[in-house]
Amino acid sequence: MAMALRWYSTVVESTDHKKLARWWAEALGWEAIFETDEESVLVPPWALELSEKLDFHQVPPGMVFVPVEHEKSGKNRLHWDFAPHTSDDRDAEIARLVELGATVIDVGQPADATWTVLADPDGNEFCVLSSREQ
């Protein structure tokens, strides 16, 4: 097998990295496993128990939030896509995210898009896709 890299984490810069990490932990139902003045680390709760059983390359990525002095400017060139399961209420999930502090935004998506674009409290774009089985 060819050597491959493990997607270890996604790093997000923020002027208040602890607050934004707590927001994402609530939004995703993830756990903060480390928090200092230099970084806050989130992982899926099931990843902690599975990481000991999985091969290194199969362990899912986490999210790392780090402090910066500057505010976000411009549209992200990279964003997350999240999908609800078909048994979930997609509209209720979007409403929950908005209640937590997300904003529904327009980045030029078509009017009949099957996804909804939102921004987290720091303005980082992400999408809630149509519901799916897999």
Side-chain angles (χ1 to χ4, degrees):
M1 180 172 142
M3 184 173 64
L5 295 173
R6 172 181 156 199
W7 178 9
Y8 196 80
S9 64
T10 299
V11 178
V12 181
E13 297 179 342
S14 176
T15 55
D16 190 344
H17 71 288
K18 292 178 184 177
K19 182 178 177 184
L20 190 60
R22 286 190 294 273
W23 188 90
W24 276 104
E26 178 73 17
L28 297 175
W30 284 21
E31 294 180 12
I33 60 165
F34 187 76
E35 183 178 87
T36 67
D37 289 341
E38 286 77 40
E39 66 181 357
S40 294
V41 179
L42 305 181
V43 297
W46 44 265
L48 292 174
E49 58 191 62
L50 283 181
S51 64
E52 306 261 334
K53 301 172 186 165
L54 294 174
D55 174 72
F56 173 83
H57 292 93
Q58 296 173 322
V59 177
M63 296 172 84
V64 178
F65 296 82
V66 298
V68 292
E69 298 290 322
H70 60 277
E71 297 287 335
K72 178 186 179 288
S73 62
K75 182 179 173 293
N76 292 6
R77 294 193 67 185
L78 177 74
H79 70 267
W80 296 286
D81 283 346
F82 300 103
H85 189 263
T86 53
S87 65
D88 296 329
D89 183 338
R90 180 180 179 276
D91 292 339
E93 182 58 21
I94 292 170
R96 182 185 74 85
L97 293 167
V98 169
E99 188 174 307
L100 286 175
T103 306
V104 177
I105 61 170
D106 183 350
V107 294
Q109 67 269 32
D112 61 350
T114 59
W115 63 91
T116 301
V117 183
L118 296 102
D120 72 13
D122 265 20
N124 299 300
E125 299 90 6
F126 64 98
C127 295
V128 176
L129 305 177
S130 58
S131 299
R132 46 201 71 201
E133 287 290 324
Q134 293 287 322

